């Protein structure tokens, strides 16, 4: 029977070997209790009022391709950001823009500089492009070491990615240090400022990205509707960049990738900024509550400026994730480094405080 020959390996790119295989999200082993998934920095609120209606309306036209130029949305955002529509590019989330930025800038053998640890997607996108990732260790406080990053830029550098607030440590770079950094990076190297969590930032020293973009046209500002806007499932993000760069991006971005559903959901959300801001404020208040409680317990962690907290648990990270899982909290562990925990529903945040208290106590982590 089983003389079926195994298929020979396909002719696939060697670059894939450097990329971890996709792991489907596991379900929690926590019995009957309500399980909170705090592993993906999603927004716990449902879409804003009017958004589901806008999507339903757009759904009646899905026999048509979407508006490839996102005309209406471009106009609204251009007005808000005080840019022209040719300084905007849309894609399937800011992830889509990260791929396109590599496509327009990188050949095999080129270098992409970013901090590490940072967003898990960066090394994957860089590896797929054939370029080499140059990972610059974060400073001890979880912030970018911009001096070391500047020193890592070479003739081969095609992209530098600055993630602020940094995923997963949550700390921001400061406006003055980012300007000093940009002053020494060659003017023809694209510097990506990934602001996926901008709306949650309360540190007055955080960069004014639009002013920086005005002064440094090699800067590309990345923003997304996935986090604060709660539209992660619709895949829409954008870049603010010089027309030279957006023109190149238009050649590389997947045509018609951003659906009309996503464009209209974004438009409907932008019409409800008061409600959006109230939700973001509530999440920031919850973040403050969690950080205060954990700090009082004796936990030390980087300054949280995003919708998550970072627990630098080192070798205890996977144990903590398993412990949290048993108590119905799915966190995002990075083995040997730390665990990222999203600020979510109040009950989830309460449970996070308890789980951290119990784990740190049982493991003698409170000094
Ligand atoms: C979530 C996230 C993104 C956005 O991803 P989308 O593709 O827009 O959903 C980008 N950068 C960072 C650092 C993120 O954490």
């Amino acid at each position: 029977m089983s003389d079926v020959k195994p298929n020979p390996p396909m002719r696939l790119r060697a670059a894939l070997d450097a990329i971890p295989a996709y792991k489907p999200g596991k379900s929690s082993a926590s019995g009957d209790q309500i399980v909170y998934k705090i592993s993906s920095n999603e927004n716990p609120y449902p879409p804003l009022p009017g958004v589901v209606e806008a999507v339903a309306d757009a759904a009646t036209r899905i026999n048509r391709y979407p508006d490839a130029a996102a005309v209406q949305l471009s106009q609204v955002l251009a007005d808000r950001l005080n840019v022209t529509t040719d300084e905007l590019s849309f894609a399937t989330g800011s992830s889509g823009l990260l791929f396109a930025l590599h496509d327009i800038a990188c050949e095999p053998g080129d270098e992409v500089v970013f901090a590490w640890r940072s967003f898990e997607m960066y090394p994957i996108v860089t590896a797929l492009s054939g370029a080499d990732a140059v990972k610059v260790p974060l400073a001890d406080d979880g912030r970018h070491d911009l001096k070391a990053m500047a020193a890592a830029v070479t003739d081969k550098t095609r992209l530098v990615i600055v993630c602020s607030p940094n995923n997963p440590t949550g700390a921001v770079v400061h406006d003055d240090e980012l300007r000093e950094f940009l002053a020494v990076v060659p003017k023809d190297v694209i510097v990506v400022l990934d602001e996926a969590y901008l709306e949650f930032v309360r540190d007055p020293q955080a960069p004014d990205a639009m002013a920086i973009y005005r002064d440094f046209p090699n800067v590309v500002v990345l923003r997304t509707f996935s986090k604060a806007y709660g539209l992660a499932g619709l895949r829409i993000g954008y870049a603010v960049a010089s027309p030279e760069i957006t023109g190149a991006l238009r050649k590389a971005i997947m045509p018609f990738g951003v659906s009309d559903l996503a464009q209209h959901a974004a438009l409907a959300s932008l019409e409800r900024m008061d409600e959006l801001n109230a939700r973001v404020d509530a999440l920031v208040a919850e973040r403050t509550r969690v950080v205060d409680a954990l700090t009082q317990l004796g936990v030390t962690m980087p300054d949280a400026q995003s919708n998550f907290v970072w627990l630098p648990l080192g070798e205890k990270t996977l144990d903590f994730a398993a412990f949290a899982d048993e108590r119905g909290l799915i966190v995002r562990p990075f083995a040997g480094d730390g665990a990222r925990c999203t600020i979510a529903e109040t009950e989830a945040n309460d449970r996070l405080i308890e789980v951290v208290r119990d784990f740190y106590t049982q493991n003698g982590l409170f000094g």
Side-chain angles (χ1 to χ4, degrees):
M1 266 297 288
S2 65
D3 54 354
V4 184
K5 287 200 207 95
N7 291 330
M10 296 292 108
R11 300 177 187 183
L12 302 179
R13 290 177 56 201
L16 295 170
D17 298 341
I19 298 172
Y22 175 73
K23 281 182 278 160
K26 63 183 167 71
S27 50
S28 172
S30 50
D32 292 341
Q33 63 189 322
I34 298 172
V35 174
Y36 295 102
K37 177 171 168 265
I38 57 168
S39 53
S40 298
N41 298 340
E42 291 157 337
N43 196 318
Y45 291 98
L48 287 161
V51 170
V52 171
E53 290 77 4
V55 170
D57 180 58
T60 62
R61 300 184 297 276
I62 54 173
N63 53 313
R64 306 288 178 192
Y65 284 110
D67 170 6
V71 172
Q72 244 188 307
L73 182 57
S74 296
Q75 200 52 63
V76 170
L77 273 179
D79 288 349
R80 298 229 179 154
L81 297 168
N82 202 15
V83 296
T84 58
T85 52
D86 63 359
E87 293 172 280
L88 293 173
S89 273
F90 295 86
T92 48
S94 30
S95 308
L97 286 153
L98 279 170
F99 277 98
L101 283 161
H102 282 71
D103 283 341
I104 66 166
C106 297
E107 308 267 15
D110 290 339
E111 293 176 353
V112 179
V113 175
F114 50 83
W116 200 250
R117 177 173 293 280
S118 192
F119 187 30
E120 305 115 88
M121 189 78 85
Y122 299 155
I124 295 174
V125 180
T126 300
L128 283 172
S129 78
D132 296 319
V134 178
K135 298 177 173 179
V136 179
L138 294 170
D140 286 342
D141 55 3
R143 301 178 58 236
H144 282 46
D145 183 345
L146 287 173
K147 291 221 161 63
M149 289 179 73
V153 173
T154 71
D155 287 348
K156 290 184 176 174
T157 308
R158 292 292 176 276
L159 287 177
V160 180
I161 310 176
V162 175
C163 187
S164 181
N166 187 49
N167 175 2
T169 55
V172 291
V173 298
H174 294 167
D175 194 88
D176 54 355
E177 61 183 0
L178 184 58
R179 283 175 174 278
E180 278 169 38
F181 168 78
L182 289 164
V184 298
V185 172
K187 299 280 166 255
D188 56 356
V189 171
I190 293 177
V191 177
V192 179
L193 182 56
D194 184 343
E195 293 198 311
Y197 302 96
L198 169 73
E199 295 82 358
F200 301 104
V201 173
R202 294 294 179 269
D203 181 348
Q205 293 189 88
D208 179 347
M210 294 307 297
I212 287 178
Y213 162 69
R214 283 278 159 245
D215 292 343
F216 299 93
N218 57 324
V219 166
V220 173
V221 182
L222 287 191
R223 305 243 171 111
T224 181
F225 288 97
S226 294
K227 306 285 162 55
Y229 285 81
L231 299 178
L234 279 174
R235 314 305 301 124
I236 176 164
Y238 63 95
V240 182
S242 71
E244 182 189 2
I245 295 173
T246 57
L249 284 171
R250 263 176 217 131
K251 299 179 182 180
I253 287 167
M254 185 175 49
F256 306 115
V258 180
S259 69
D260 260 343
L261 282 62
Q263 292 180 36
H264 284 280
L267 278 165
S269 303
L270 288 166
E271 283 169 16
R272 290 167 177 79
M273 287 311 288
D274 289 348
E275 284 149 288
L276 179 93
N277 291 333
R279 289 173 173 200
V280 169
D281 284 345
L283 287 169
V284 169
E286 277 291 285
R287 174 183 79 200
T288 305
R289 184 174 75 84
V290 170
V291 167
D292 287 351
L294 296 185
T295 307
Q296 234 165 17
L297 286 169
V299 178
T300 40
M301 55 195 166
D303 183 32
Q305 288 292 318
S306 190
N307 66 340
F308 52 82
V309 292
W310 171 248
L311 302 171
L313 283 155
E315 296 310 316
K316 296 274 188 204
T317 299
L318 293 185
D319 290 347
F320 172 76
F323 183 87
D325 193 84
E326 277 169 27
R327 314 259 299 247
L329 276 188
I330 304 173
V331 304
R332 181 74 172 92
F334 297 97
D337 204 349
R340 191 190 67 203
C341 310
T342 308
I343 301 299
E345 295 87 342
T346 307
E347 308 79 60
N349 304 333
D350 287 342
R351 201 182 293 177
L352 176 62
I353 295 167
E354 285 164 27
V355 165
V356 171
R357 180 196 60 206
D358 294 351
F359 183 83
Y360 276 60
T361 306
Q362 283 176 29
N363 287 272
L365 296 174
F366 290 131

